[in-house]
Amino acid sequence: MTKTNQMEMAEEAQTTEVETKLKDRKLSWARLRRVDSLNLEAGRVSMPHSHTSNINWKRTLSLAFQSVGVVYGDIGTSPLYVYASTFSDDTIHENEDILGVLSLIIYTIVLVPMIKYVFIVLRANDHGDGGTFALYSLLCRYAKVSLIPNDQPEDSQLSNYKLDTPSSQLRRAQEIKEKMESSKTIKIILFLVTILGTSMVIGDGVLTPCISVLSAVSGIKSLGEDTVVGVSVAILIVLFSLQRLGTDKVGYAFAPVIILWFSFIGGIGLFNLFKYDLGVLRAFNPKYIIDYFKRNGKQGWISLGGVVLCITGAEAMFADLGHFSVRAIQISFSSIVFPALLAAYAGQAAYLSKFPNDVSDTFYKSVPDPLYWPMFVVAVAAAIIASQAMISAAFSIVAQSLSLNCFPRVKIVHTSAKYEGQVYIPEINYMLMVACVIVTLAFKTTEKIGHAYGIAVVAVMVMTTCMVTLIMLVIWKARILLVTLFFFVFGTIELVYLSAVLYKFKQGGYLPLALSFVLMVAMGTWHYVHRERYLYELKNKVSSEYIRQLATNANMNQLPGIGLLYSELVQGIPPIFPHFISNIPSTHSVLVFVSIKSIPISKVAIEERFLFRQIEPQEYRMFRCVVRYGYKDAIVESHEFERQLVEHLKEFIRHEYFIHEPGNIESTFEPENIQLSTLLVEKDGKGRRSTTVHVEEPLQQPNQSFRAPRVNSSGSIRSISGINLSNSSAGMAPAQVSKGAEDEIQFVQKAMEKGVVYLLGETEVVAEPNSSWFKRLVVNHVYSFLRKNFRKGEKFLAIPRTRILRVGMTYEI
């Protein structure tokens, strides 16, 4: 036997051995299931993207232009009232005090909005989305600190789930993470800080329209205080009445108005600077801050409550990040907003150095006479836009709270097809309107509202500093020196400001705290009962033995169509199901247990939304389905939801048959180390066959035009690119779809055509008889009040009333 023949026989033996091994592994797919997890559709992972990726400079500059109109209305209108709020007794005792206050304003703007937010906090975004909930969702993904135990291994496969992190594993980050996960106290504190920050932002939605509109309308103060208040109330009512139209229709109109506003205040500031006193530029020397406190002592500390208003709206740069990009915000703030604000404050200081008695109306008194009325019109327009931005932010943050089960159900109307974040909530809109009108009529002046406004602003900043510090430790794994520097520098500045604004508690500072307390009670109660109800269902879920007995029960009837039984339980079948059967001894020909689950990410791609698992016995056609939503996803109308669910159910059935039937593909997968080996046998130029073994890393080579699916440790098939085997029927040739699969798919389609019925459990939640009086108060009264006075589940889920079947049940928690 020649050496060549020996080589060929060895190659053939190697080929046969590998092919046999591949078939053996193919037959073992069905055993790769986790005990109680959902699979298959979880595997589809598209390439993650964020707002900062693949955006060219033209697009970035366009976003920067748009951001001026949406983000900076609040911080841009601060020059209307900062000096009046700082010198609240309308008296400037020494001209040096003007330099001290201007120096405080300059360095406050440089340190907090510029350095902290623009260059540090914006990096802590959740795939382009910012705000308190974005920070909380980041922490929930990297450490198990969520209060509801409904996490699944498949969730980590979502394309938006993870961020790129440093490869080095630091012991400090791991220790902090373990401490957070093991401490229930830390979990509760994180949750409370999140909803407190949310409550404060909603409080801003009340105070910003009041102080901005009152300040702008004060240009007609000569007509009397009652006239100013009356005109302000009229503008506020019109503003809230127009909210239902949405901001999308006037999107590009905002930016030119705010840019005109910045041009006006910057230009007039430079004019006053050169006309009255260029010497105020000495305020860039921080020595004047020290001298100011030495001269004024306690009064200087109290005046910080007015100075801090110069950075109102800084949090909006982070909260509104989802509509733009980090680079766009950095460009617009650095090139337009920052220089205009410095020029405006310096110009007002120069004017006050000559006319210190005009401090109560610094802004309008410093405007040259020919520009007075044009400035008044632009100021009112800018104030309305500033109000609009905070009202929209309040709507968005309530929608995010709602998706994470932290707020009673309300109606959400999406007003823009272009921006998902632009929403309108009628109930919240009218509550804000009533609150704004009451605050305006009660306080009447910007100085009094300013006392209340400062607390909301600084409190949110302190919470952001604390949460970003945690992110730097746990996720970024930054050096301890940088983390310490960030926390102590910005934490000290903000705590000093917070102490100053809290001093004015009796003068109006109680208002945002009272608003926040009411909102926190509502949000905390709703989340607490929701969590306890989930734990009750988890503890009392239905056993598989009950389902098997049900399948053999001769008294059970089968109804045509598809039944969707809603439950919040992710693992297992909820206890409401046996209650349905005991009242109505029948099931639909296809029954799906649907769980609406909120994921701590902003959005879930539609192809990744549905997870299915079949409940044994298979011939009974019962399925569990988890429908995953991010906190910015909208719940679609019922007919569209039914279509999507049934299409994904068909794909699931097709893949179940595909997996269980041998001989469909010729590649195999290691479930643990997840590497793909493909054996290619080809003839070389001399007529000999050469064997090449290719080993690929599935997620590291995006340029491959085709990749076979992989099976991970949780039993999910993951399609990477090219031919899509996990969620698209296009991935399989018609010959590969078995007759059994087609029969089942046709059965589901016919059931769909006969109609879909929604089975809802009217679960009344009450406290156990031996509970404490406080728990009975929270569950039986506060939660019951919220549940009865807000929207019902079917309205929130957009379910048509004509296709609902309800059965009542009481949960004792």
Side-chain angles (χ1 to χ4, degrees), residues 129-177:
D129 291 298
T132 311
F133 269 102
L135 297 175
Y136 183 64
S137 70
L138 272 178
L139 289 170
C140 283
R141 294 212 302 279
Y142 283 91
K144 295 179 181 178
V145 293
S146 175
L147 291 175
I148 297 180
N150 65 347
D151 55 295
Q152 294 170 273
E154 290 89 355
D155 297 339
S156 62
Q157 299 172 6
L158 291 168
S159 53
N160 280 353
Y161 200 82
K162 289 186 178 179
L163 295 176
D164 294 328
T165 58
S167 57
S168 59
Q169 296 296 319
L170 300 180
R171 184 179 300 173
R172 168 174 43 83
Q174 192 61 32
E175 288 175 356
I176 295 170
K177 178 183 173 183

Side-chain angles (χ1 to χ4, degrees), residues 702-718:
N703 296 325
Q704 298 294 329
S705 61
F706 166 79
R707 292 193 192 149
R710 84 182 193 191
V711 175
N712 62 22
S713 58
S714 66
S716 302
I717 291 185
R718 175 174 294 185

Side-chain angles (χ1 to χ4, degrees), residues 21-36:
K21 191 177 180 181
L22 295 179
K23 291 177 180 178
D24 291 342
R25 288 179 180 174
K26 171 64 177 63
L27 293 172
S28 70
W29 276 15
R31 294 193 293 271
L32 295 178
R33 300 286 193 272
R34 300 186 83 251
V35 174
D36 194 23

Side-chain angles (χ1 to χ4, degrees), residues 534-704:
Y534 184 89
L535 293 175
Y536 177 90
E537 290 189 340
L538 193 62
K539 183 180 177 182
N540 295 281
K541 63 183 180 182
V542 177
S543 66
S544 55
E545 182 61 31
Y546 176 84
I547 301 297
R548 282 193 290 270
Q549 291 175 1
L550 194 67
T552 58
N553 189 344
N555 296 323
M556 286 293 297
N557 301 314
Q558 274 213 337
L559 304 174
I562 297 178
L564 302 181
L565 193 151
Y566 274 79
S567 164
E568 289 165 356
L569 187 64
V570 169
Q571 303 288 358
I573 298 170
I576 194 73
F577 179 59
H579 205 63
F580 265 106
I581 299 301
S582 63
N583 285 275
I584 309 166
S586 57
T587 61
H588 289 79
S589 55
V590 177
L591 183 61
V592 183
F593 297 92
V594 179
S595 300
I596 303 293
K597 178 182 176 183
S598 296
I599 302 289
I601 58 176
S602 56
K603 295 173 188 174
V604 177
I606 184 63
E607 61 269 23
E608 300 174 337
R609 178 156 293 156
F610 296 88
L611 300 179
F612 283 93
R613 186 182 178 211
Q614 187 151 18
I615 299 169
E616 300 291 342
Q618 291 187 6
E619 61 271 12
Y620 219 63
R621 297 186 181 91
M622 287 187 181
F623 303 88
R624 279 171 45 215
C625 173
V626 175
V627 188
R628 302 180 293 185
Y629 286 93
Y631 56 78
K632 280 198 168 184
D633 281 323
I635 293 180
V636 296
E637 292 296 324
S638 59
H639 61 86
E640 178 63 18
F641 175 80
E642 292 163 11
R643 186 192 66 78
Q644 292 174 3
L645 185 142
V646 170
E647 286 302 314
H648 283 84
L649 177 56
K650 291 176 185 177
E651 291 301 321
F652 172 79
I653 292 169
R654 183 176 287 113
H655 283 287
E656 282 290 283
Y657 277 86
F658 179 70
I659 287 172
H660 284 85
E661 292 182 6
N664 283 335
I665 66 171
E666 296 181 8
S667 61
T668 190
F669 320 96
E670 285 288 350
E672 297 301 330
N673 59 18
I674 311 179
Q675 286 190 347
L676 169 65
S677 298
T678 306
L679 188 68
L680 302 178
V681 182
E682 57 184 4
K683 287 189 178 181
D684 63 13
K686 297 180 180 179
R688 292 182 309 211
R689 291 190 300 176
S690 62
T691 303
T692 308
V693 177
H694 298 274
V695 179
E696 299 177 44
E697 297 288 343
L699 289 179
Q700 303 301 321
Q701 299 180 20
N703 296 325
Q704 298 294 329

Side-chain angles (χ1 to χ4, degrees), residues 40-47 157 607-608 655 698-699 706-712 716-728 731:
L40 296 175
E41 276 82 357
R44 172 74 190 281
V45 177
S46 55
M47 293 301 290
Q157 299 172 6
E607 61 269 23
E608 300 174 337
H655 283 287
L699 289 179
F706 166 79
R707 292 193 192 149
R710 84 182 193 191
V711 175
N712 62 22
S716 302
I717 291 185
R718 175 174 294 185
S719 165
I720 308 300
S721 60
I723 299 178
N724 175 5
L725 289 174
S726 71
N727 272 324
S728 173

